[in-house]
Amino acid sequence: MAVREWLRPPRHLLVLFVGLTLVLAAALGWLGWRLLQQDRALETQRLRDHLETAATAVAAALERRLAETERTLGRLASLPARELRAQGAAWARDLSDGAVLLVRSGEGLEAFPARRLAYYPVLPPSRSPPAETFADGEALEFRFQDFAGAANAYRVHTRSRDGLVRAGALLRLGRALRKAGREEPALDAYAQLAGFDSLPLDGVPAGLLGRHARISILEALGRVAESRQTADSLYRDLLSARWPLSRGAFEFYVTDLLPRLAAATRDAPSAKAALARGVALLWADWSAGNAPSGGGRRLLRDEEISAVVLWADGREERVALLATADHLRAVWLRELEPLLQREGVRIALDDLEGNPVISQLGDDATPRVVRTAAETHLPWTLRLASADPGNLTAEFAVRRRLMLAGFGVAVLLALVAAYAVARAVTRELGVARLQSEFVAAVSHEFRTPLTSMRQLTELLASGRVPTEERRGQYYEVLRREGERLHRLVEGLLDFGRMEAGAHEFRLQSLDVAALVRETVDDFRAEVSERGWVVDLEATQDAGAVRADREALSRALWNLLDNAVKYSPEHRTVWVKVGGADGRVAISVRDQGAGIPASERDAIFEKFVRGSSAGVAGVKGTGIGLAMVQHIVRAHGGEIRVESQPGAGSTFTILLAVER
Ligand code: ADP
């Protein structure tokens, strides 16, 4: 029924409502979508702004760091030579393993702190023993292949007072003894040579020469463990910059030692070799005239390392700081860390070709800000990204969820409001329809008695009624019709008053059974003529209730009237009064048309007439049951209906027993 009701005449209104609601919902949806878009754009913009600010701060901090170092270098460069080296060495002590302080004077290069470089691009010239000292021995050794004689000749010089000569003699003695097949004494000679340690022989330290020579002899003697141990310790000394070496010497010995080493030794990284490589790069750069005098900063790079160099020129010397990526990470970046954390960002520093020197950035596609070296005057390109973009996105997601929920509620409200309005409109229209049907029904109800009254009156007035008895009958009909009209009008007026809440119920203590009996008697008198039987079953002591006599009687009358109206076939109506559970039940049963379950609530509403009324063409106004309900409720009671379509209905009034 609901669907049919909905699709009745106000259909166009409904369509309008649905249309409007959909338009409203669509507008809200569109608005929401636009807002979300704007919000997202705003978020991206905010993130970018934040990164821009952070980039400026980070660049400034790096610049301050470099500028401060440059000032120190400038101050050192302006000092007299001795002071410069003393203060330089002191300052360099605090540098990390990835940095070295360089002092160039003329063609010489010094590095601070000492032993920081595995090798040097240039070395101070070293002294060699005079060539003629060993001429005799070398003649025997090389020309006559007399190795024993040569050894003897060299041995003489091992007692020289000049250390350099002694070392030179031991080197040659070891060689000659080996050639003579006397490995043990050769080992001994080389051990003595190694004792001179850093004394350079033709630029190569005696320690290195002696220990290196021993390795191959030990190998030849099959003393594998000893030879490997010697190789390992020599390699470690090379990498820890025990001696100042040329790059050529360093690379020669390293290449020679590598296949002889234990794996762990071979794979250990060496900061000093990396630094030496950087210094070599720097030296080549300077030699190519790439560094303007006065001072400057530059990023140097080859396939293996990248290093930043800052330099300042004094009158005689050039003072420079060379720092590899290790230093950058360990010192400068660490100093930046609080700032980075505060700003919630990560950075990467790239060289000018865009290769990362150091990078804290992952591969994710968060917005990034780039500051080129040209913009910042730093030796790197600075890239910056949010450390935890999820943080900001989370905030955004929460807001988006709230916004979606808001829009959802708004759309829902619009739908509910539209539904409510549509519902109210249909209902009002329904009521209006019922009302007009009511007016038609009431007119109809009036017309029938009025017509017959008019005809009878005319007949009586014309004096054409022959017998007194017939006249008496006509008067009786007139009285009955008058009564009916009176009841009809009274009923309508009462109902109007009850609806308006103006009807006053005069409650008094009543014997229910008696009241029911009286009403049933009256009703019987009305209908028995038409062949109706009203069967009353009343318990004498049904009890007393507080009630308005007239109203309760009217309620019962209405039920009886309906029972008769809607049961044209079975002309018996059963009335029963009895008490149960502290209540009195007055029930009226018929065997008429019955009421479909779907109508059982609606029939109690005013003006509503059920399907049985239509089918049987029964006259009525649709206010009978509404009135019964009013009256029963006013008495604090209850009205119930049980019915089986086709088999009859039972209406029961339940009232509380008076105590
Ligand atoms: P009316 O009788 O004037 O139509 P009522 O308010 O008395 O108005 O009744 C409302 C509707 O309830 C009736 O139109 C009818 O369809 C149904 N109805 C009431 N009493 C009975 C009954 N005893 N048997 C079948 N239908 C009934």
Side-chain angles (χ1 to χ4, degrees), residues 562-563 565-566 590 593-595 599 603 608-613 619-626 649 651:
N562 278 349
K565 275 199 311 192
Y566 299 106
D590 64 63
I595 305 156
E599 292 181 3
I603 53 172
V608 172
R609 307 203 64 210
S611 51
S612 51
K619 281 189 273 177
T621 54
I623 59 169
L625 287 180
S649 323
F651 284 84

Side-chain angles (χ1 to χ4, degrees), residues 555 627-639 653-655:
M627 200 140 121
V628 173
Q629 173 137 303
H630 256 300
I631 294 169
V632 172
R633 282 195 181 152
H635 286 80
E638 192 187 336
I639 171 101
I653 295 173
L654 290 160
L655 296 171

Side-chain angles (χ1 to χ4, degrees), residues 17 36 56-57 119 135 173 181 183-184 229 268 292 299 308 315 384 440 472 485 507 510 627 650 654:
F17 269 122
L36 282 182
T56 308
Y119 55 87
L173 176 61
E183 267 86 4
E184 288 295 343
Q229 210 179 355
L299 185 70
V308 169
R315 233 170 304 127
L384 210 120
L485 274 178
L507 300 184
L510 287 179
M627 200 140 121
T650 308
L654 290 160

Side-chain angles (χ1 to χ4, degrees), residues 389-425:
N391 223 350
L392 289 157
T393 326
E395 192 184 311
F396 172 68
V398 166
R399 200 157 62 195
R400 183 169 51 183
R401 238 175 279 137
L402 279 178
M403 219 140 75
L404 279 178
F407 276 107
V409 168
V411 169
L412 205 72
L413 276 179
L415 289 175
V416 167
Y419 173 77
V421 169
R423 190 70 213 248
V425 167

